[in-house]
Amino acid sequence: TIENYQRLYDELEQFKAKKVLESLWFFNASDTTPEELRNHFEAFMDTENKDRIIVISASSWAWRNVISKPKNL
């Protein structure tokens, strides 16, 4: 439920993340590595219920019909 993930959503907001699909977020974090971000966000996940995470460093993307457009990050 959303209540279970409110801490994660709050933390994503701190990163100015944009929700682009149901559980996919984009944000600008050029000052850190994917590994560091993964480790950071694990603290906000429900690891007992086997939540999963993937952090990808991307320099360009294309989209169609997303919730928020990940431009100007």
Side-chain angles (χ1 to χ4, degrees):
T1 66
I2 193 165
E3 295 84 19
N4 294 345
Y5 293 101
Q6 192 58 53
R7 287 182 59 233
L8 174 61
Y9 299 151
D10 292 345
E11 188 66 11
L12 285 163
E13 187 174 312
Q14 294 297 313
F15 280 78
K16 297 181 178 150
K18 302 291 184 189
K19 184 176 184 177
V20 294
L21 296 174
E22 189 59 37
S23 290
L24 179 66
W25 299 77
F26 273 80
F27 58 87
N28 185 351
S30 58
D31 59 342
T32 188
T33 67
E35 292 83 5
E36 291 169 330
L37 287 168
R38 179 204 54 213
N39 295 344
H40 174 80
F41 279 103
E42 282 179 337
F44 300 90
M45 298 172 57
D46 184 0
T47 55
E48 290 182 17
N49 287 322
K50 300 184 180 24
D51 280 352
R52 297 176 177 101
I53 186 170
I54 185 170
V55 179
I56 300 168
S57 176
S59 60
S60 64
W61 51 83
W63 63 84
R64 179 184 315 275
N65 197 24
V66 293
I67 296 168
S68 295
K69 294 179 180 172
K71 59 183 179 181
N72 301 324
L73 294 177

